[in-house]
């Protein structure tokens, strides 16, 4: 269900009536019809006040998801639809918050879903309680105890495929926070007769089938078992396989659960060996043999089974064989040994099998308790969960049904008493007058059964202990004598004449009128089942076993501890257990879950009215409703009541300004509800009749419809106005855009027309000009051609004349040229030697330069800026040129190398360059830092979950994060701190917790001082009077001093536009609070290696010894 859809009241969207207290009219038919209506709509839970009625749906429903757990967590009991989670949450919160021990009583007949209900309660409590490795282990052990007990204590019956054949009460222990510490399990009346005999259509206990189906062949071989069910007499074959049940998978689940609960491997092996021995006991058969004295004696037919049992249990075969054939009776100093006939031998075999399995089951419960018990001895809160048989009425009812129904009588008695007590306490708490409620008190029935003198159990014990011939008939005769006059006891053999002709009551039966109806019990088997006798010879044989577990199960077999007293009977033991249980339940706040089975077919969607009616009667649900509504049928706190019904009154709607009680009084007066129909308590309003509540609900429903109509009207008006305004706004926008578009379109058309007109005019002008130019060109070309012809004629004439003159002058020119050449050569010979040297020098110099450059090209060094190689100078006159070329080449290759750098690399080299300028030849530590890259974030705060708190506290980008040592002026000792440098601040934080100790703005840092030696000490000086300077300057030590000082210098310069003063001196002053302390660095040998140490000399001097 989505969060918006969560119900806020039990009455919202109610299918039928969610709380039977509000059912009107209250009859058995209306009760059943209401349950059926809710069942048909998959509503399997219904309330009777604080009691939960649970109907088994026989199918999976999506109402147990983790989302449902969260929905019912910490919610009021009546706030949501009826659910088992609501009761579980109410019980858990009462235990945790109000320190009240709780118990949850789950009752109902077999197949009604009691076991599943107890699992749901435990799973809900496990889901809502605390978390943690230890708590989760306790929860897992508590939950995993269920599969183990179900395997050994549950069986398939005609009514239920997983029927609990024992009663279980678990006390879950919690600490003061509500976290589980452990638990204690008590078991009641295991149906051990099922081990040797099962009714038709039913199975033995699950564990027998699980071992044979799921164990490996090697494991079966060790247990001397075979996989075939038909090999074992104790296993019924007609229903060995159950549809939908995987015995092999369940066996693996059981073994895993035993491991989780804490069973050791050898203990698990021992348990399965005992189970195998019980299974094989059923295969031992006897044959009669006549002795000389004429008495019959029993002998074992096939001794192979006996041999294998003895090998499993470590018992001497002859000892066990004798125990099956003879019985020894001891009386004071006498021993009498008698033989057993075949019938007695079979009785002894079955008694041993039943006792062996019953004691194994009790040992399992004890062993589980050892594992899940609380380890601490602190005061514990307790929540008990009781999962026990419901009232049983079969065609044939025997001793087991008598004991079970007695237990249910006691539970009904305590249920009525505690329900009335709870009602009375609430009335007194709220100041409401308590009126006496008439109800049927079943104490008279409990007294009929458990009275120490005249009770049926006391008569049965007395008959079992009486010497002489004791039979079931003698027991019935005794009952007829003692109980004949009791109004709830009926027997045809009694003195009461009204039953003499009652043919529905056989002679060998008696009938008890229980609170749930009349039940007829067949007296056959009462004495034997109450005796539950195991021959002492078999007990002693079991004690002699070398098998550790079997030996521990039969302590009475120890000859040194022989007790001649008769062991307590089954009835007296169960009576004592029930008394202990009742005493335990009365100390706790009870919570009830009544489980109902809708049909006998174990099928979904089938609701058998007659079967449900039968269960309603014997569970006393109608009686419960009458008790709850005898005073006031409904009660509710004032706040939720006013919140739910305030719309019914104008004075309280929509908001009531005042106490909630006053608002409820105004509301009820306005509605004119009769005063006798309600009462005002201290914190709640009490409504007497459900009709009044339903009237309020009808008025509320009508008012909600009116409010919904009003809201719908207002919403529609708002929606229409909003749509109109939106359309109006859209129309204005569309109109403006259309006008803009129309004007743009008009402008484009005008512009296009103007361009076309312009193009036509320009074309016309161009063509006109072209025609004029062509005409002018033709005129010019004609004149030019004429002029050219004329000039050509003139030129040809002049050429002919010049050629003639040239021929005449050529001879003179040639002669003159030769003469001039002769004169020049004669003059040049005078100056030839003086000019030749200079020309040769210039030529030689040019060749040498050419050779030099060609050689330089081939001898060029590498492009690495750190390569200092350079070719040797070949000629002295090239010295300046050689040096200039070297300088130019170095600058060029440096530029080339720099162009390859990324921005990040440039920043690193800029920092390295800055460090060089600050510390080169000044700080002895500097050369060692040159080869180390500046990383900055040494701690990786963003990735380390340890520093998540510190990361969340720092919003700025972290430039450097490093662990430094902060020097204490008092003793010179160092404390680890995390040093953080951001764009605006310097921070010091605790290394373990991540808490920020100091935060200094960069503007308050005035100077950084350090020594010139090879140490990592430095002082951060703060501006006097600043907020950060209250405790004085910081004296720190770091392994990355050069990097930290450089980054601090560059960041300060970037943010404040001022250079940070870096003082390098072997002696400087540091301000500590109001005092100035001198820090002096000296050379000295160290005991702890090469690590500088700081010592306090006096109040004004700290001395740092540097190796």
């Amino acid at each position: 269900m989505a969060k918006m859809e969560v119900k806020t009241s039990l009455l919202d969207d109610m299918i039928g009536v969610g709380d039977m207290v509000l059912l009107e009219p209250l009859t058995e038919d209306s009760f059943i019809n209401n349950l059926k209506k809710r069942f048909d709509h998959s509503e399997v839970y219904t309330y009777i006040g604080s009691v939960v009625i649970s109907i088994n749906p026989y199918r999976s429903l999506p109402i147990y998801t983790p989302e449902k757990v969260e929905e019912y967590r910490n919610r009021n009991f009546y706030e949501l639809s009826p659910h088992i989670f609501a009761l579980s949450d109410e019980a858990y919160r009462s235990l945790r918050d109000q320190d009240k021990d709780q118990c949850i009583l789950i009752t109902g007949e077999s197949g009604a879903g009691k076991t599943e209900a107890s699992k749901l309660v435990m799973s809900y409590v496990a889901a809502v309680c605390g978390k943690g490795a230890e708590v989760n282990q306790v929860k897992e052990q508590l939950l995993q105890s269920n599969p183990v007990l179900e395997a050994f204590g549950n069986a398939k019956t005609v009514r239920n495929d997983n029927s609990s054949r024992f009663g279980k009460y678990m006390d879950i222990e919690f600490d003061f926070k509500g976290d589980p510490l452990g638990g204690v399990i008590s078991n009641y009346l295991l149906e051990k007769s099922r081990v040797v005999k099962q009714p038709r259509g039913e199975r033995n206990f699950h564990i027998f089938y699980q071992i044979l189906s799921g164990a490996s062949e090697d494991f079966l071989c060790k247990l001397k078992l075979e996989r075939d069910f038909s090999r074992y007499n104790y296993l019924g074959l007609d229903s060995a396989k159950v549809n939908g049940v995987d015995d092999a998978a369940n066996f693996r689940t059981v073994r895993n659960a035993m491991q989780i609960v804490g069973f050791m491997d050898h203990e698990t092996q021992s348990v399965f060996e005992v189970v195998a021995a019980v299974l094989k006991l059923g295969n031992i058969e006897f044959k009669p043999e006549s002795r000389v004295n004429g008495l019959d004696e029993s002998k074992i037919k096939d001794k192979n089974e006996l041999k294998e049992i003895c090998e499993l249990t470590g018992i001497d075969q002859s000892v066990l064989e004798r125990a099956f054939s003879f019985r020894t009776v001891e009386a004071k100093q006498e021993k009498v040994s008698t033989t057993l006939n075949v019938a007695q031998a079979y009785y002894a075999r079955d008694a041993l099998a039943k006792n062996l399995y019953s004691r194994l089951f009790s040992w399992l419960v004890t062993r589980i308790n050892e594992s899940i018990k609380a380890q601490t001895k602190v005061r514990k809160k307790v929540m008990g969960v009781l999962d026990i048989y419901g009232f049983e009425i079969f065609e044939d009812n025997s001793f087991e049904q008598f004991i079970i129904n007695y237990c249910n009588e006691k539970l009904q008695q305590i249920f009525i008493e505690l329900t009335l007590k709870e009602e009375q306490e609430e009335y007194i708490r709220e100041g409401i007058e308590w009126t006496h409620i008439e109800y049927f008190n079943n104490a008279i029935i409990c007294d009929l059964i458990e009275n120490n003198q005249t009770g049926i159990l006391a008569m049965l014990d007395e008959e079992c202990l009486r010497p002489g011939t004791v039979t079931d008939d003698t027991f019935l005769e005794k009952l007829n004598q003692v109980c004949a006059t009791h109004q709830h006891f009926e027997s045809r053999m009694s003195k009461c004449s009204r039953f003499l002709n009652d043919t529905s009551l056989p002679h060998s039966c008696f009938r008890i009128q229980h609170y749930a109806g009349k039940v007829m019990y067949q007296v056959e088997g009462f004495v034997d089942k109450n005796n539950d006798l195991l021959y002492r010879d078999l007990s002693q044989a079991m004690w002699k076993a070398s098998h550790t577990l079997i030996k521990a199960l039969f302590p009475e077999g120890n000859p040194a501890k022989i007790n001649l007293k008769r062991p307590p009977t089954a009835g007296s033991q169960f009576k004592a257990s029930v008394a202990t249980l009742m005493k335990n339940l009365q100390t706790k706040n009870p919570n009830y879950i009544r489980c109902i089975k809708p049909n006998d077919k174990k099928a979904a969607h089938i609701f058998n009215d007659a079967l449900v009616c039968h269960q309603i009667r014997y569970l006393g649900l109608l009686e419960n409703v009458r008790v709850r509504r005898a005073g006031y049928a409904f009660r509710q706190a004032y706040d939720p009541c006013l919140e739910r019904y305030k719309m019914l009154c104008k004075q309280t709607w929509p908001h009531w300004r005042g106490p909630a009680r006053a608002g409820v009084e105004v509301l009820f007066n306005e509605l004119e509800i009769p005063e006798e129909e309600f009462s005002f308590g201290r914190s709640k309003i009490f409504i007497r009749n459900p009709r009044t509540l339903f009237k309020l609900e009808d008025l509320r429903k009508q008012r909600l419809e009116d409010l919904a109509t009003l809201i719908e009207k207002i919403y529609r008006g708002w929606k229409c106005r909003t749509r109109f305004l939106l359309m109006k706004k859209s129309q204005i926008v569309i109109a403006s855009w259309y006008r803009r578009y129309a004007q743009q379109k008009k402008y484009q058309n005008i512009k296009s027309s103007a361009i076309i007109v312009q193009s036509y005019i320009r074309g016309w002008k161009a063509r006109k000009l072209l025609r004029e130019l062509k005409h002018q060109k033709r005129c010019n070309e004609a004149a030019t051609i004429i002029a050219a012809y004329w000039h050509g004629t003139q030129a040809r004439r002049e050429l002919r004349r010049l050629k003639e003159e040239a021929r005449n002058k050529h001879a003179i020119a040639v002669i003159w040229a030769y003469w001039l050449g002769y004169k020049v050569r004669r003059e040049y010979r005078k100056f030839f030697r003086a000019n030749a040297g200079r020309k040769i020098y210039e030529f030689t110099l040019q060749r040498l330069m050419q050779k030099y450059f060609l050689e330089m090209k081939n001898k060029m060094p590498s492009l690495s800026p750190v390569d200092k190689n350079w070719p040797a100078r070949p000629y002295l006159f090239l010295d300046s040129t050689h040096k200039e070329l070297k300088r130019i080449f170095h600058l060029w290759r440096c530029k080339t190398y720099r162009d390859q750098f990324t921005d990040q690399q440039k920043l690193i080299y800029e920092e390295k360059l800055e460090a060089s300028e600050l510390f080169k030849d000044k700080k002895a530590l500097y050369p060692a830092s040159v080869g180390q890259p500046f990383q900055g974030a040494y701690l990786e705060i963003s990735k380390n979950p340890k520093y998540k708190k510190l990361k969340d506290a720092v919003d700025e980008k972290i430039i450097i994060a490093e662990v430094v040592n902060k020097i204490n002026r008092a003793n010179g000792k160092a404390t680890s701190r995390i040093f953080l440098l951001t764009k605006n601040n310097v921070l010091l934080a605790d290394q373990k917790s991540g808490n920020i100790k100091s935060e200094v703005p960069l503007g308050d840092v005035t100077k950084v001082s350090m020594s010139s030696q090879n140490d990592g000490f430095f002082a951060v000086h703060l501006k006097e009077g600043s907020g950060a300077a209250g405790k004085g300057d910081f004296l720190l030590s770091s392994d990355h001093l050069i990097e930290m000082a450089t980054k601090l210098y560059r960041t300060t310069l970037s943010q404040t536009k001022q250079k940070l003063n870096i003082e390098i001196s072997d002696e400087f002053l540091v301000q500590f609070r109001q005092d100035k302390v001198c820090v002096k660095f000296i050379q000295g040998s160290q005991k702890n290696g090469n690590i500088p140490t700081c010592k306090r000399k006096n109040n004004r001097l700290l001395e740092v010894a540097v190796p």
Side-chain angles (χ1 to χ4, degrees), residues 717-773:
W718 170 83
K719 188 174 182 181
C720 289
R721 284 194 301 274
T722 304
R723 187 168 182 272
F724 167 74
L725 292 175
L726 181 61
M727 291 177 65
K728 183 179 178 181
K729 183 179 178 181
S730 302
Q731 186 270 335
I732 293 171
V733 172
I734 293 170
S736 64
W737 277 88
Y738 175 75
R739 285 194 295 271
R740 175 187 173 190
Y741 168 77
Q743 292 298 324
Q744 286 178 339
K745 196 72 175 176
K746 182 178 179 182
Y747 168 74
Q748 293 292 340
N749 291 335
I750 295 172
K751 182 179 178 181
S752 177
S753 302
I755 290 172
I756 292 173
V757 172
Q758 284 179 348
S759 65
Y760 274 102
I761 293 174
R762 289 194 187 102
W764 174 76
K765 286 183 177 181
R767 286 190 294 274
K768 181 180 179 182
L769 179 61
L770 179 61
R771 285 193 297 269
E772 291 175 355
L773 288 175

Side-chain angles (χ1 to χ4, degrees), residues 365-403:
V365 174
T366 304
R367 180 64 184 82
I368 292 173
N369 285 337
E370 290 177 3
S371 296
I372 66 176
K373 69 179 179 181
Q375 301 300 320
T376 58
K377 295 184 179 180
V378 298
R379 183 179 177 276
K380 308 175 187 69
K381 304 175 182 180
V382 178
M383 177 185 289
V385 180
L386 177 65
D387 174 9
I388 201 163
Y389 308 99
F391 204 88
E392 291 190 350
I393 304 176
F394 299 145
E395 289 185 6
D396 297 327
N397 301 290
S398 187
F399 180 74
E400 291 84 1
Q401 284 68 45
F402 176 75
I403 290 294

Side-chain angles (χ1 to χ4, degrees), residues 519-668:
V519 183
M520 184 175 65
Y521 299 100
Q522 292 185 353
V523 77
E524 182 182 354
F526 262 63
V527 174
D528 285 342
K529 291 176 181 178
N530 188 52
N531 270 326
D532 193 22
L533 187 62
L534 178 67
Y535 297 149
R536 184 172 294 140
D537 299 77
L538 289 172
S539 298
Q540 292 177 349
M542 293 296 105
W543 187 84
K544 292 177 183 179
S546 60
H547 196 282
T548 309
L549 177 56
I550 292 180
K551 189 180 184 75
L553 295 179
F554 293 88
E556 75 277 11
N558 187 352
K561 298 180 180 180
I562 290 180
N563 187 356
L564 298 180
K565 286 185 178 181
R566 190 181 185 91
T569 61
S572 60
Q573 290 180 11
F574 187 71
K575 177 182 174 183
S577 299
V578 169
T580 304
L581 176 63
M582 296 302 118
K583 185 177 179 181
N584 191 355
L585 295 179
Q586 286 177 338
T587 62
K588 296 178 173 62
N589 185 50
N591 302 272
Y592 299 95
I593 301 174
R594 303 297 207 186
C595 299
I596 292 178
K597 182 169 64 171
N599 60 78
D600 279 328
K601 299 179 181 179
K602 296 179 279 190
H605 306 292
I606 297 177
F607 191 92
N608 188 322
D609 292 14
L611 179 63
V612 173
C613 178
H614 169 69
Q615 294 173 81
I616 288 172
R617 287 174 181 171
Y618 78 66
L619 287 173
L621 299 184
L622 279 173
E623 185 77 15
N624 187 8
V625 177
R626 292 189 182 100
V627 169
R628 285 288 299 189
R629 60 187 286 178
Y632 292 90
F634 182 77
R635 72 268 342 241
Q636 191 175 27
Y638 289 121
D639 285 325
C641 180
L642 180 62
E643 184 66 26
R644 185 168 184 81
Y645 301 113
K646 64 182 180 180
M647 72 286 297
L648 301 180
C649 176
K650 293 181 179 180
Q651 300 179 47
T652 58
W653 177 259
H655 300 292
W656 171 254
R657 310 293 183 183
R661 172 170 177 166
V664 175
E665 290 177 355
V666 170
L667 174 65
F668 274 55

Side-chain angles (χ1 to χ4, degrees), residues 18-45:
D19 190 343
M20 289 294 188
V21 176
L22 304 178
L23 186 63
E24 189 68 25
L26 178 61
T27 63
E28 191 173 83
D29 291 339
S30 64
F31 194 100
I32 295 172
N33 290 335
N34 186 56
L35 287 179
K36 184 175 183 180
K37 182 177 181 181
R38 293 178 60 79
F39 178 79
D40 291 340
H41 288 82
S42 298
E43 293 285 346
V44 296
Y45 295 111

